[in-house]
């Protein structure tokens, strides 16, 4: 996942305060990266007495200008992510960084329940974004360290570990390693495998086991992880596999970081934490490219009704009518011209994807009605002025 710069001191203080609150708390970090914390510690240790700092001014990542079409796509992604977080009981926390959306669970709980929920959230978001098929690779930092990185293993054990590093799978792989007498001599590794077995039980109950793969080759490089680690990758379609492999890296990642908060607490309180980060900017680029490939048209406004007139000198009537719609909570607009041509107004609605047009003219005023036109079908009906708002609301609720 993209690494970000230092978290602002006040923002980290805010985050730390949230994480040090009573157990049971869940929070959404607007867009921060856990890796910033390790950088902050390093800087504080290297420059404890320095009064002046040298700054290098850079354009922050994630702050590029966006067109109206791009803004629509990005907001839809963010809305889906945040609504999923809130569905799982999250509280908001905003920090001045970019590129990620985080979900963290802080507090002392029974093993693997919060971890399983984080994996469930990741699956819900990636499924809702309709990016294509995906897989969440999962490992256990201590298991990997003890079985792969630690020196002094007997050659035959090292060879056996090498076989497992090449494997990936579900609970059956965990069971196989659990029962292997040549790999069951390390207590810490056994505990990790036991927790992984429990985690697979929970993700099976959540209905996402087929999206999770235990993979010992996964090694996220951030030192503060203390247990389960995971990252989500998109899988290529058969057509993509034949032509060119999909290589976008991970689109979401996370893990358990039980020792991180205590590093910033003067009293050294330990606050177990597990969390995930959604790579919003990376996902945005993928969605944007897919829409270009398939030529999808994007609506840049949410206008529901356009107020038009076929005749000159009807600006006042249009203004009265649109005020009535606005006051009723209907999203409406008109052209900022005194006497626009009707064809110009209708073309504007078609180009902008506005579903309904209300038309007022001399004949309509005389009869006390307003014409309501469907842009898609071009069908028109006359509605009594006093019934117009109710009719529009009915149609919008049915669409």
């Amino acid at each position: 996942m993209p690494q970000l710069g230092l978290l602002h001191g006040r923002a980290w203080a805010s985050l730390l305060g949230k994480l040090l609150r009573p157990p049971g708390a869940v929070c959404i970090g607007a867009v921060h990266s856990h890796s910033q914390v390790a950088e902050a510690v390093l800087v504080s240790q290297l420059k404890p007495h320095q009064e002046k700092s040298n700054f290098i001014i850079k354009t922050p990542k994630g702050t590029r200008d966006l067109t109206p079409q791009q803004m629509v796509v990005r907001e839809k992604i963010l809305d889906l992510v945040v609504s999923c977080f809130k569905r799982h009981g999250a509280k908001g926390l905003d920090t001045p960084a970019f590129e990620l959306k985080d979900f963290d669970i802080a507090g002392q709980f029974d093993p693997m329940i919060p971890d399983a929920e984080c994996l469930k959230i990741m699956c819900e978001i990636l499924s809702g974004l309709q990016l294509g098929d995906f897989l969440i690779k999962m490992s256990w930092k201590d298991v990997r360290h003890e079985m792969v990185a630690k020196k002094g293993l007997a050659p035959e054990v090292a060879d056996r570990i090498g076989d497992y590093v090449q494997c990936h799978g579900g609970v059956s792989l965990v069971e196989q390693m659990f029962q292997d007498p040549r790999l069951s001599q390390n207590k810490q590794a056994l505990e990790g495998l036991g927790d992984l077995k429990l985690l697979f039980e929970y993700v099976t109950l959540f209905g996402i086991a087929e999206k999770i793969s235990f993979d010992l080759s996964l090694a996220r490089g951030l030192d503060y992880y203390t247990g389960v680690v995971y990252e989500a990758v998109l899988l290529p379609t058969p057509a993509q596999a034949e032509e060119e492999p999909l290589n976008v890296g991970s689109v979401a990642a996370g893990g358990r970081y039980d020792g991180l908060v205590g590093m910033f607490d003067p009293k050294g309180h330990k606050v177990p934490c597990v969390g995930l980060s959604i790579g919003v900017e990376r996902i945005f680029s993928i969605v944007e490219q897919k829409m270009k490939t398939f030529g999808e048209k994007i609506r840049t406004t949410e206008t529901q009704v356009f107020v038009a007139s076929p005749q000159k000198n009807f600006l006042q009537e249009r203004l009265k009518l649109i005020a009535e719609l606005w006051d009723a909570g209907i999203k409406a607009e008109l052209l900022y011209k005194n006497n626009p041509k009707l064809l110009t107004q209708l073309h504007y609605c078609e180009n902008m994807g506005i579903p309904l047009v209300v038309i007022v003219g001399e004949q309509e005023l005389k009869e006390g009605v307003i014409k309501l036109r469907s842009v898609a079908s071009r069908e028109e009906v006359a509605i009594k002025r006093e019934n117009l708002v109710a009719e529009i609301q009915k149609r919008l609720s049915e669409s």
Side-chain angles (χ1 to χ4, degrees):
M1 298 295 291
Q3 302 304 312
L4 310 181
L6 291 178
L7 193 62
H8 192 286
R10 284 178 296 177
W12 174 245
S14 173
L15 174 61
L16 181 61
K18 300 293 184 182
L19 294 179
L20 289 176
R21 62 195 180 281
V26 184
C27 71
I28 304 171
V31 274
H32 66 80
S33 170
H34 303 317
S35 62
Q36 299 169 97
V37 178
E39 287 189 67
V41 173
L42 179 61
V43 171
S44 66
Q45 290 173 344
L46 290 177
K47 300 182 179 180
H49 306 297
Q50 186 172 329
E51 294 181 359
K52 295 183 180 180
S53 299
N54 295 323
F55 294 94
I56 299 175
I57 305 300
K58 294 182 179 180
T59 302
K61 292 181 179 180
T63 58
R64 64 189 176 103
D65 292 337
L66 300 177
T67 66
Q69 289 84 359
Q70 290 172 323
M71 278 298 299
V72 171
V73 175
R74 195 172 192 279
E75 286 176 359
K76 285 183 178 179
I77 294 171
L78 293 175
D79 287 346
L80 188 146
V81 171
V82 172
S83 65
C84 179
F85 287 172
K86 290 183 177 180
R87 187 165 61 248
H88 286 263
K91 300 173 183 177
L93 169 63
D94 194 7
T95 58
F98 306 90
E99 295 189 343
L100 305 176
K101 272 287 187 191
D102 292 356
F103 181 99
D104 302 281
I105 301 175
Q108 189 71 49
F109 304 103
D110 287 340
M112 298 295 98
I113 301 174
D115 308 72
E117 183 172 11
C118 284
L119 292 170
K120 173 65 171 173
I121 290 169
M122 196 178 286
C123 285
E124 288 181 10
I125 290 172
L126 295 178
S127 297
L129 290 171
Q130 299 180 341
L131 301 175
D133 201 9
F134 63 89
L135 183 69
I136 299 177
K137 298 179 181 181
M138 181 180 66
S139 188
W140 191 271
K141 186 171 182 180
D142 290 337
V143 172
R144 192 182 197 285
H145 174 74
E146 295 296 336
M147 291 188 169
V148 181
K150 195 172 182 180
K151 298 178 182 179
L153 293 175
E156 63 273 14
V157 177
D159 291 341
R160 187 61 174 148
I161 289 170
D163 294 337
Y164 282 117
V165 170
Q166 304 302 318
C167 298
H168 54 83
V171 68
S172 59
L173 178 60
V174 176
E175 285 277 12
Q176 185 181 349
M177 296 178 68
F178 203 88
Q179 299 299 325
D180 192 323
R182 288 172 291 182
L183 300 181
S184 59
Q185 301 171 9
N186 185 283
K187 181 180 178 182
Q188 191 173 16
L190 276 178
E191 289 176 354
L193 289 171
D195 280 341
L196 281 174
K197 183 179 177 182
L198 184 61
L199 182 57
F200 268 107
E201 178 183 333
Y202 294 157
V203 297
T204 300
L205 293 172
F206 282 154
I208 59 170
E210 75 283 354
K211 293 294 185 182
I212 313 296
S213 175
F214 177 53
D215 188 340
L216 256 182
S217 66
L218 174 63
R220 293 189 56 73
L222 303 175
D223 289 338
Y224 55 78
Y225 283 123
T226 57
V228 64
V229 293
Y230 39 82
E231 65 178 27
V233 296
L234 299 184
L235 301 178
T237 63
Q240 289 171 331
E242 292 178 6
E243 297 174 6
E244 184 178 343
L246 184 67
N247 186 23
V248 297
S250 63
V251 292
R256 179 161 285 281
Y257 54 104
D258 289 342
L260 187 60
V261 174
M263 294 168 59
F264 292 87
D265 180 19
K267 296 182 179 180
H269 290 145
K270 184 178 179 181
V271 182
C273 298
V274 63
L276 63 98
S277 295
I278 303 295
V280 173
E281 297 301 329
R282 184 168 288 179
I283 290 172
F284 169 70
S285 297
I286 295 168
V287 173
E288 187 180 27
Q289 185 58 50
K290 285 181 65 176
M291 297 185 79
K292 287 180 180 177
T293 301
F294 294 102
E296 295 181 31
K297 194 173 181 180
I298 303 171
R299 279 198 68 186
T300 57
T301 73
E302 297 183 8
T303 304
Q304 299 165 313
V305 181
F306 187 86
V307 178
S309 176
Q311 293 155 333
K312 294 182 178 181
N313 303 319
F314 265 78
L315 177 60
Q316 292 185 0
E317 291 299 328
R318 286 191 288 140
L319 293 177
K320 286 193 294 185
L321 186 52
I322 200 169
E324 185 178 337
L325 299 179
W326 287 337
D327 291 344
I330 295 170
K331 299 169 184 175
E333 62 176 298
L334 47 70
L335 288 187
Y336 303 134
K337 290 187 175 182
N338 281 313
N339 301 307
K341 294 181 179 179
L342 181 60
L343 192 59
T344 300
Q345 298 170 87
L346 297 179
H347 280 168
Y348 176 82
C349 294
E350 291 177 354
N351 292 335
M352 299 300 293
I354 300 172
L356 297 173
V357 183
V358 293
I359 301 173
V360 57
E362 291 180 358
Q363 188 66 28
E364 287 76 27
L365 279 183
K366 187 183 299 183
E367 297 176 1
V369 299
I370 301 291
K371 282 184 181 176
L372 183 59
R373 177 186 175 96
S374 167
V375 175
S377 67
R378 300 186 178 181
E379 295 179 352
E380 294 182 356
V381 294
I383 307 292
K384 288 185 178 181
R385 176 66 177 260
E386 60 268 24
N387 298 334
L388 179 64
V389 168
E391 178 63 25
I392 291 173
Q393 290 173 334
K394 177 185 176 184
R395 292 198 182 199
L396 292 175
S397 66
E398 294 173 349
S399 62

